[in-house]
Amino acid sequence: MTSAALAYPMSSTITFTSDILGPITVDRDTVLTFPRGLLGFPECRSFVLLPSERPHVYWLQSFDYSSLALLLVDPFVFFEGYTLDLDATDLRAVSPNDVSVLAIVTLPNARGEMPTANLQGPVVIHTPQNEGHQVVLSENSYGIRQPFTL
């Protein structure tokens, strides 16, 4: 017994509609898995990281919930002197070049207020494994709502 589906190669892209970003087509190999989800969203496990129109600013779009898209920034660019130490359980990469660290942004509710970034709970992405984790830093001089200019 054979299946006709086996005769056709599987598409290397996925098309998905985000409630915020609209239709998205990405390569299957770029889908990120978050085994434990994110803080506040433990059931969300599949995401894609998309560049925004601004350098060092990204969207983390959930494949589990079309309405969940988080704005992320590179904290090393937006916060001078930002550092963090990742232990062996956080750092599953062979090289530091295999890791991306990004901070989740909360946009202001009112005009004139500043956006804030969660520098105490950064998102760590292990590029070769396409796996992400949100880590909570116990020792950090920055907080979860660090204001900055976007």
Side-chain angles (χ1 to χ4, degrees), residues 1-141:
M1 184 165 162
T2 62
S3 171
L6 295 176
Y8 298 102
M10 198 175 203
S11 173
S12 64
T13 61
I14 300 171
T15 300
F16 175 81
T17 301
S18 163
D19 293 354
I20 297 168
L21 304 173
I24 299 168
T25 300
V26 297
D27 189 337
R28 284 184 188 277
D29 295 337
T30 64
V31 175
L32 301 171
T33 301
F34 283 73
R36 295 176 299 211
L38 295 171
L39 296 175
F41 304 100
E43 68 284 354
C44 294
R45 306 286 172 93
S46 296
F47 291 86
V48 65
L49 185 65
L50 303 165
S52 75
E53 295 178 2
R54 299 192 57 190
H56 312 292
V57 179
Y58 306 89
W59 289 101
L60 186 65
Q61 173 64 56
S62 168
F63 275 123
D64 300 305
Y65 292 101
S66 60
S67 61
L68 179 60
L70 302 170
L71 190 62
L72 306 177
V73 295
D74 182 338
F76 302 104
V77 171
F78 286 94
F79 297 92
E80 187 176 331
Y82 180 72
T83 62
L84 75 154
D85 291 322
L86 297 174
D87 65 26
T89 58
D90 297 328
L91 186 61
R92 295 185 178 112
V94 177
S95 161
N97 294 333
D98 293 340
V99 175
S100 295
V101 176
L102 300 166
I104 298 173
V105 174
T106 300
L107 295 173
N109 290 326
R111 189 178 293 264
E113 292 180 357
M114 297 181 76
T116 61
N118 181 350
L119 299 181
Q120 196 166 6
V123 173
V124 177
I125 298 172
H126 307 100
T127 310
Q129 295 93 352
N130 281 356
E131 187 173 286
H133 299 275
Q134 186 173 14
V135 298
V136 177
L137 305 174
S138 57
E139 294 291 325
N140 194 334
S141 59

